[in-house]
Amino acid sequence: MVKYKSFKIDTDIKGKADVSKVLMIYTGGTLGMVYDQVKKTLVPLKFEEIQKNIPELERFESALDIIPIEPPIDSSNMSPSVWIELATLIAEQYDDYDGFVILHGTDTMAHTASALSFLLENLAKPVILTGAQLPIGVTRTDARENMMTALELAADKVDNETILHEVCIYFNGRLLRGNRAKKYESSQFDAFQSENYPMLAEVGIYCVYNRPYMLPKPEGKFSFSDSLNRNVLVLKLFPGISNAFVKQILATENLEAVVLETYGSGNAPSDNEFLHLLKDASEKGIIIYNVSQCSGGKVRQGDYDTSRGLLNADVISGKDITTEAAVCKLMYLLALGNSITETKRLLQENLRGEVVD
Ligand code: ASP
């Protein structure tokens, strides 16, 4: 059992029956940052220090507890060990809450959402990540709307039944499947999109759920994984990439899997030396997973001559998966300790709604 300092917010639930109970976990990110006059950069603050900027929390109509992860971080410092900490924390608190919100920096939010989607199995409750492009203390901040709507979505029930059963990202009016989302904008408020999957809900004056696209309530019992394998890397192709460098990368000690970021619908140079390097690596047991550099569309190995060579090199198609989800899926699957054949089989399965079937 991990020890955390949790605190309760005195929300607007007096006299109300059957209120939902939400746990909000604060990890850091711009939402909770201030400008440090000495360093001349934005740095994360402790939750206690930003709470005074959010009087709205007391008007929330569900019960709310908060757990800050120490220390708060810029999400560029996110790591698999924190993902496991978050999954463990949610698992430990699972029975006590109807929904979970994670306040997180935007830079690696899609990675964390993807990692949690794999670590949490048979999830029957919402886990909603959100953050902001401007700190909560700034007048024009987007933090309040993002946070309050994420809390309301996490608390939402129909006939006393939770509506969402998956890890999502809520940002700027859109609820997205977490393992389908990508950060695509660093200046505007609409930071996230999921080009290959429809929004799960659109939130304006009303919240309109896109029910046919939401994951159904799982039948199995909730469980979680507490290990990830980091022997994974991403190799992004570009015209002129040197075979000598590719050879070095594929010979990296302990390497178990490579996300190969290819062009368009999964195409790569047809150069024999390059294809031999991939084939040799596959024969040595390194899994090569083909993910497109495009945010929309899907890998279709064999459509073009320039992807047929990849089929021969035993490269696995990532179909329409994002790079963020591909990395996390590999980390999760490799940690299960299955044979390479079984890992490759599972890679091609749709485990948590991250790829087309
Ligand atoms: N660098 C920040 C972070 O990811 C950016 C943000 O939160 O928007 O923590």
Side-chain angles (χ1 to χ4, degrees):
M1 180 84 139
V2 193
K3 275 264 160 266
Y4 296 96
K5 195 174 72 181
S6 83
F7 52 96
K8 200 172 272 317
I9 303 288
D10 191 13
T11 52
D12 189 12
I13 54 172
K14 284 165 211 84
K16 291 180 180 133
D18 295 331
V19 288
S20 296
K21 223 179 146 193
V22 177
L23 175 65
M24 182 156 79
I25 303 167
Y26 171 69
T27 68
T30 296
L31 180 140
M33 290 192 186
V34 280
Y35 190 71
D36 183 312
Q37 299 293 344
V38 181
K39 288 187 176 168
K40 306 223 175 302
T41 58
L42 283 166
V43 292
L45 284 180
K46 287 180 175 263
F47 193 81
E48 292 87 323
E49 293 171 68
I50 59 171
Q51 200 187 335
K52 59 179 178 296
N53 286 301
I54 339 168
E56 290 84 355
L57 284 181
E58 285 161 29
R59 297 208 292 272
F60 183 47
E61 295 185 32
S62 300
L64 175 63
D65 293 336
I66 301 198
I67 293 185
I69 298 281
E70 296 289 347
I73 55 169
D74 182 306
S75 78
S76 298
N77 288 320
M78 190 44 74
S79 64
S81 58
V82 180
W83 293 339
I84 289 167
E85 194 180 335
L86 288 170
T88 309
L89 175 52
I90 289 169
E92 285 174 357
Q93 307 287 335
Y94 190 75
D95 293 336
D96 291 339
Y97 294 93
D98 298 295
F100 300 84
V101 169
I102 302 178
L103 298 177
H104 195 288
T106 57
D107 289 347
T108 62
M109 192 186 289
H111 295 81
T112 300
S114 298
L116 291 177
S117 76
F118 295 114
L119 290 172
L120 304 172
E121 191 159 359
N122 290 322
L123 182 66
K125 302 182 180 189
V127 173
I128 303 179
L129 286 94
T130 196
Q133 295 284 57
L134 278 176
I136 196 123
V138 172
T139 323
R140 285 194 316 108
T141 188
D142 52 335
R144 277 189 202 95
E145 193 284 313
N146 285 344
M147 183 170 67
M148 294 314 297
T149 305
L151 284 169
E152 288 190 0
L153 289 166
D156 207 5
K157 287 185 186 171
V158 169
D159 298 332
N160 220 23
E161 279 282 326
T162 306
I163 298 173
L164 293 155
H165 316 107
E166 55 183 296
V167 179
C168 311
I169 288 182
Y170 175 74
F171 220 89
N172 196 47
R174 294 179 194 150
L175 183 72
L176 306 173
R177 175 162 301 157
N179 57 28
R180 290 292 198 149
K182 281 179 101 66
K183 179 174 180 180
Y184 80 112
E185 172 58 66
S186 61
S187 304
Q188 303 299 321
F189 288 140
D190 58 336
F192 291 89
Q193 68 174 15
S194 88
E195 191 77 27
N196 276 332
Y197 201 77
M199 279 181 244
L200 300 181
E202 191 166 14
V203 187
I205 293 176
Y206 303 105
C207 170
V208 183
Y209 287 103
N210 202 357
R211 288 173 193 270
Y213 292 96
M214 290 163 23
L215 287 181
K217 186 171 179 182
E219 277 164 18
K221 192 172 159 21
F222 170 76
S223 64
F224 78 108
S225 284
D226 62 359
S227 65
L228 290 165
N229 181 325
R230 297 173 63 165
N231 296 334
V232 172
L233 58 77
V234 178
L235 174 58
K236 180 169 185 158
L237 295 182
F238 56 90
I241 191 167
S242 145
N243 284 337
F245 293 166
V246 172
K247 187 172 179 184
Q248 289 263 353
I249 288 167
L250 294 175
T252 305
E253 211 184 330
N254 297 328
L255 181 65
E256 290 180 59
V258 177
V259 172
L260 184 69
E261 272 207 3
T262 56
Y263 309 124
S265 54
N267 305 317
S270 355
D271 170 58
N272 274 334
E273 193 187 339
F274 171 76
L275 292 171
H276 269 122
L277 290 172
L278 297 184
K279 193 164 173 57
D280 281 358
S282 292
E283 279 169 2
K284 276 195 232 134
I286 294 172
I287 296 170
I288 306 183
Y289 197 33
N290 185 353
V291 175
S292 175
Q293 292 177 16
C294 297
S295 346
K298 89 186 242 225
V299 167
R300 287 188 305 266
Q301 293 191 146
D303 266 16
Y304 287 86
D305 216 30
T306 45
S307 63
R308 238 169 21 133
L310 299 178
L311 274 178
N312 298 336
D314 200 19
V315 170
I316 308 292
S317 169
K319 303 180 217 173
D320 63 348
I321 200 166
T322 62
T323 298
E324 291 84 339
V327 167
C328 296
K329 189 171 183 177
L330 281 166
M331 284 186 175
Y332 163 72
L333 288 178
L334 289 170
L336 297 181
N338 291 319
S339 66
I340 294 171
T341 317
E342 176 63 359
T343 304
K344 284 182 174 174
R345 188 189 68 77
L346 289 170
L347 256 188
Q348 291 168 84
E349 299 268 297
N350 175 11
L351 302 180
R352 308 279 196 268
E354 75 284 3
V355 279
V356 280
D357 283 314

